[in-house]
Amino acid sequence: MNKTEEIYQDIITNCDIILGLLKPYEAENDTPEGRMIYQCRWLKEQVAENTLALPTDDYVHTLKYVSAESLLDHLAATRTKEAAWEEVGIILYRLIKSVDNKLLFKPAYTPMTITLIDALIHLLHHASRPLTINESRLDDELEQLKTLLAAGKIEPPLMSYLPDYFNFNEVNMYKVSLEDQPNGKYLVKTVANLIFEGVRPDTWLTPDEAEKDVAQYIP
């Protein structure tokens, strides 16, 4: 399966989940629910005809607006912020990433993600200069992420939990503070994309290819 085929498959999967949540609603232009039904149907039709251009931006305004404004949060079984993200928000977010031509993080890539986290921890322990306060405190956050990911207690993307990882956010903000260290920028950005954005590198087309890719970063 090539990149486009996988992304097409992910679009279908997440559209079907959304359409399942929207079963009680009618397709119409006067409600966000109705417009999302049209949006998902259109995406599925384009994929079925193999005509959906990637990335897609001009024809997914409804998807992006509904996601940004959290207009479908009420579809969650439990009316809490956490449930809204886990049951609805994360699906919309993944769909947005797919139409933006991104490969999604999947459980099969957990070991490779943990390998990169370990490489980043090693970098922190062997930096060629004194660490900043945020860099020195990043170690604990990385260990926590690694433990939770290995135990299956977190599911990328963790966008809604980004404020819980203040030091990671600071190290990764605007300019990666560790970019002066060997592979520092790559490790920070890639781990951030995997964990918080829920997307993987284009070179990770299969778990085997991902394993070969990360091997070069093992200390």
Side-chain angles (χ1 to χ4, degrees):
M1 184 184 299
N2 61 35
K3 179 182 177 182
T4 299
E5 290 172 340
E6 180 177 345
I7 291 175
Y8 272 10
Q9 187 178 78
D10 289 336
I11 289 171
I12 293 292
T13 297
N14 286 298
C15 279
D16 282 343
I17 295 172
I18 295 167
L19 289 171
L21 293 171
L22 292 170
K23 269 188 176 181
Y25 298 88
E26 297 292 332
E28 57 182 345
N29 288 316
D30 295 332
T31 67
E33 295 87 359
R35 291 193 297 274
M36 269 307 300
I37 293 173
Y38 281 133
Q39 180 79 99
C40 287
R41 287 178 179 175
W42 180 82
L43 285 168
K44 290 184 65 176
E45 288 170 1
Q46 294 296 305
V47 168
E49 295 171 4
N50 200 35
T51 55
L52 183 66
L54 297 172
T56 301
D57 186 53
D58 292 340
Y59 303 102
V60 289
H61 299 303
T62 292
L63 168 62
K64 293 186 176 182
Y65 177 72
V66 165
S67 176
E69 298 298 323
S70 304
L71 297 181
L72 299 185
D73 280 6
H74 63 282
L75 299 176
T78 305
R79 301 297 177 85
T80 65
K81 183 178 180 181
E82 291 76 15
W85 170 255
E86 293 172 2
E87 297 177 36
V88 182
I90 196 171
I91 306 302
L92 294 170
Y93 195 81
R94 284 174 176 157
L95 186 53
I96 288 172
K97 290 300 179 182
S98 291
V99 300
D100 198 31
N101 202 31
K102 303 294 184 183
L103 291 168
L104 300 181
F105 172 92
K106 291 170 183 172
Y109 297 90
T110 295
M112 303 77 173
T113 303
I114 290 174
T115 296
L116 290 185
I117 293 175
D118 280 334
L120 184 50
I121 291 172
H122 183 272
L123 181 152
L124 291 169
H125 291 174
H126 297 83
S128 61
R129 58 164 172 76
L131 298 176
T132 66
I133 293 176
N134 295 125
E135 290 167 351
S136 64
R137 293 175 179 173
L138 180 58
D139 188 304
D140 289 339
E141 292 182 359
L142 291 172
E143 290 287 358
Q144 181 183 28
L145 285 169
K146 185 175 75 169
T147 299
L148 292 173
L149 188 63
K153 293 183 177 179
I154 56 175
E155 183 181 8
L158 296 185
M159 283 301 299
S160 61
Y161 295 93
L162 186 55
D164 296 337
Y165 297 92
F166 175 81
N167 296 295
F168 201 125
N169 197 30
E170 289 296 307
V171 169
N172 187 42
M173 187 177 290
Y174 307 121
K175 178 182 178 182
V176 175
S177 64
L178 287 166
E179 67 176 17
D180 64 323
Q181 301 299 304
N183 300 316
K185 183 176 181 178
Y186 173 85
L187 290 172
V188 171
K189 286 294 184 185
T190 305
V191 170
N193 285 337
L194 286 161
I195 299 293
F196 296 106
E197 296 287 332
V199 298
R200 63 188 205 265
D202 285 346
T203 52
W204 291 22
L205 284 174
T206 67
D208 285 343
E209 289 176 284
E211 191 171 354
K212 291 178 183 176
D213 187 63
V214 302
Q216 61 188 304
Y217 302 104
I218 297 175

